[in-house]
Amino acid sequence: MRGEQAGAQQSIVEHLTDLRKAVLYSAIFFVLCFIGILLYINKVIPFITNDHKLVMLGPLDVIRFYTGIAGSLSLGLSAPFIGYQIWKFAKPALTEQESKTALTFIPSLFISFILGLSFGVLVIFPTVYSFLMGLGVKNFEIMITAKEYFSFLMMTTIPLGFLFEVPLLMMFLTAIGVVTPDKLKEVRKYGYVLMAVVSALITPPDFISQLIVLVPLMLLYEIGVILSKVMYKKRLRAMGNEKALVVE
């Protein structure tokens, strides 16, 4: 009994040690990315502002703007490394197949996030920003602060980065047996409602702008269902092969 208790305590200590290492390594990597971006912030700013005339209301706004940009970009760059650390920590609790599947999906999720972010920066943000500015200049002289510009940029781009990961996430959950294509079809209507809410939150209150966001999101969900079907069939074949081997 004492031996089992000692083994359990040792196991908990080992897990806590692994968790501390994962958090520490992730934090160090994030800080290094943060410092690196700050060193080249003057080259990053023109790309972020896209030559729009922005104003600062105080000296501290400069620091907040720079650190906000560096923090957001550092988090994006650190995502694959953080995902790898999470995988290493969770690996003992996963089966061999789940472990391999999770490791395979980490770079794919990062690429999907970048694609979604790019779609937001190159399509959604310019469209929405131009629309709102066009409404304002008819009656007002508009002065945009760097803080408000950056907040609006994040609001119209970061959510799309995560939403572009949905198809691969659906595929991954199917691979480990959490969901099936049939379940995804059953909750499709709820998914569409959620996407409509998201599109309404990050776009102006006009039908065209909301459609520009909503249609790609609906397509992403359907792509996720297709990928889920592919993975589900693959998983069934693998299970069939395992049963055949057991019978032999």
Side-chain angles (χ1 to χ4, degrees):
M1 181 68 73
R2 291 182 179 178
E4 291 179 358
Q5 291 178 350
Q9 291 178 353
Q10 185 178 3
S11 179
I12 293 174
V13 171
E14 289 176 352
H15 284 309
L16 291 176
T17 301
D18 292 339
L19 178 61
R20 183 174 60 185
K21 287 181 180 179
V23 173
L24 180 61
Y25 293 158
S26 298
I28 291 174
F29 192 86
F30 173 83
V31 171
L32 291 176
C33 291
F34 184 83
I35 294 173
I37 293 172
L38 280 181
L39 292 175
Y40 293 94
I41 194 68
N42 290 327
K43 294 183 179 180
V44 176
I45 293 297
F47 176 77
I48 298 293
T49 59
N50 198 23
D51 296 328
H52 293 297
K53 292 183 178 180
L54 307 177
V55 298
M56 294 285 186
L57 299 181
L60 291 179
D61 282 353
V62 179
I63 302 300
R64 295 191 187 102
F65 186 60
Y66 284 1
T67 54
I69 292 174
S72 300
L73 293 178
S74 298
L75 187 60
L77 292 174
S78 303
F81 184 82
I82 294 174
Y84 176 72
Q85 293 298 321
I86 294 173
W87 171 81
K88 283 182 64 178
F89 175 71
K91 185 179 178 180
L94 302 175
T95 64
E96 184 178 353
Q97 183 59 39
E98 290 174 347
S99 178
K100 290 180 180 179
T101 302
L103 185 60
T104 302
F105 274 86
I106 289 175
S108 301
L109 288 171
F110 177 68
I111 293 172
S112 299
F113 181 82
I114 296 299
L115 289 175
L117 202 63
S118 301
F119 179 72
V121 171
L122 299 176
V123 179
I124 300 302
F125 175 74
T127 302
V128 176
Y129 186 84
S130 299
F131 176 84
L132 294 177
M133 291 295 290
L135 289 177
V137 294
K138 293 180 180 179
N139 301 299
F140 306 100
E141 181 178 349
I142 299 180
M143 181 177 65
I144 307 297
T145 66
K147 178 183 177 181
E148 293 298 327
Y149 179 88
F150 183 65
S151 297
F152 187 65
L153 176 64
M154 293 295 101
M155 185 181 72
T156 53
T157 56
I158 296 295
L160 290 172
F162 288 109
L163 289 171
F164 265 61
E165 294 179 333
V166 168
L168 287 175
L169 183 60
M170 292 162 65
M171 189 178 183
F172 172 72
L173 293 177
T174 304
I176 62 176
V178 175
V179 299
T180 63
D182 291 336
K183 285 184 179 180
L184 294 175
K185 290 178 182 178
E186 290 176 4
V187 300
R188 177 188 277 127
K189 56 184 177 181
Y190 302 109
Y192 282 179
V193 170
L194 180 61
M195 293 173 192
V197 171
V198 172
S199 65
L201 289 174
I202 65 177
T203 58
D206 71 285
F207 185 67
I208 301 300
S209 297
Q210 291 179 10
L211 273 183
I212 293 175
V213 177
L214 182 58
V215 171
L217 295 184
M218 294 172 67
L219 289 175
L220 285 172
Y221 190 89
E222 295 304 322
I223 291 172
V225 173
I226 294 172
L227 293 176
S228 176
K229 288 181 180 178
V230 173
M231 181 55 69
Y232 188 67
K233 291 178 180 179
K234 183 177 179 181
R235 186 165 177 266
L236 288 178
R237 285 196 298 268
M239 291 173 64
N241 294 333
E242 288 179 0
K243 289 181 179 179
L245 290 172
V246 171
V247 172
E248 292 177 1

